Amino acid sequence: MPKTARWAATLTLTATAVCGPFAGPALAAPQPGTSGLYAPSAMVLTTGHGEYAAAATPERAVTLTCAPRPAGTHPAAVEACAELRASDGDFDALNGTTGAFCTKQYDPVVVTVQGVWQGKRVAYERVFSNECVKNSATAALFSF
Amino acid sequence: MPKTARWAATLTLTATAVCGPFAGPALAAPQPGTSGLYAPSAMVLTTGHGEYAAAATPERAVTLTCAPRPAGTHPAAVEACAELRASDGDFDALNGTTGAFCTKQYDPVVVTVQGVWQGKRVAYERVFSNECVKNSATAALFSF
């Protein structure tokens, strides 16, 4: 193989291997009974200070897609998707596994999850007494 | 530079150059008055057949992040973000620029947009009389 061709092949393979996790399409787990091959799983998560999302300015917002592979701007998409699969999409079932020590300071933060999980709409809101409690409520999903 | 080091440098540079557009973090346009440097812009868009989102199974769902660069599973993130910027985030202002010819068949599809646009919460829903009308309502945003 000529040197140029070898280089081109190497670069293509590198790009494919390295970019695979980031460039995935919006497909999700197969969903029987629909015309599509996959049920969508795409969400946007926000967090802000306050007791209610309606009154709290969203300070951070991240996207999360879980299939065919974890993706999005969530800083720990792989772990977050694993937690969601383990709880079968039950956000309330995600409760404190990290054993963190938090103060009892009351500075409420509210988390929202909106979008679609395995073909079903998600509209979730949960308030935590402070940022530390929020981050320890799950290993990854609410830590962004 | 030894041959191995040169290869390593080349591969790293390739990965950075090629993956840059996909691997961006969840930062968005600067937002004065908050502790963060950027206001978030992250959304999830769904589409399904029906007149109301509450009654329509979400057949497709995509994520869209617009800053610092367009990203997400939306198939035309760059164009979609450009439309949103041009309309200053006013989804109702996005009205038919493609001049497509659609039939008058009534097979309603409903589109939802949820999440955050430049630091402000978005909860948008719009029904179109059929898929063709939906896709021609915007050049890119609702075409997914």
Side-chain angles (χ1 to χ4, degrees), chain A residues 39-80:
Chain A
S41 279
M43 288 156 280
V44 58
L45 293 86
T46 73
T47 182
H49 277 79
E51 290 183 332
Y52 305 99
T57 299
E59 288 152 24
R60 290 191 293 281
V62 295
T63 59
L64 180 66
T65 304
C66 287
R69 63 184 76 82
T73 55
H74 191 293
V78 173
E79 295 81 357

Side-chain angles (χ1 to χ4, degrees), chain A residues 7 10-11 14 19 44 46 53 56 121, chain B residues 7 10 14 19 42 46 53 56 121:
Chain A
W7 262 92
T10 305
L11 294 184
T14 306
C19 297
V44 58
T46 73
R121 290 190 195 280
Chain B
W7 261 91
T10 305
T14 306
C19 297
T46 74
R121 291 191 194 279

Side-chain angles (χ1 to χ4, degrees), chain A residues 3-29:
Chain A
K3 197 173 178 182
T4 312
R6 208 164 54 210
W7 262 92
T10 305
L11 294 184
T12 305
L13 283 172
T14 306
T16 306
V18 181
C19 297
F22 303 113
L27 304 175

Side-chain angles (χ1 to χ4, degrees), chain B residues 92-119:
Chain B
D92 278 321
L94 301 167
N95 270 311
T97 52
T98 58
F101 291 96
C102 295
T103 67
K104 290 190 183 299
Q105 184 191 7
Y106 190 67
D107 183 14
V109 287
V110 61
V111 167
T112 66
V113 186
Q114 292 173 299
V116 180
W117 168 256
Q118 294 188 348

Side-chain angles (χ1 to χ4, degrees), chain A residues 46-48 50-53 90-96 108-113 123-129 133-134 136-138 141-142:
Chain A
T46 73
T47 182
E51 290 183 332
Y52 305 99
D90 181 355
F91 293 82
D92 277 321
L94 300 166
N95 269 311
V109 287
V110 61
V111 168
T112 66
V113 185
Y124 183 76
E125 178 173 336
R126 187 160 155 195
V127 66
F128 299 93
S129 56
V133 175
K134 171 180 87 69
S136 64
T138 62
L141 187 69
F142 296 152

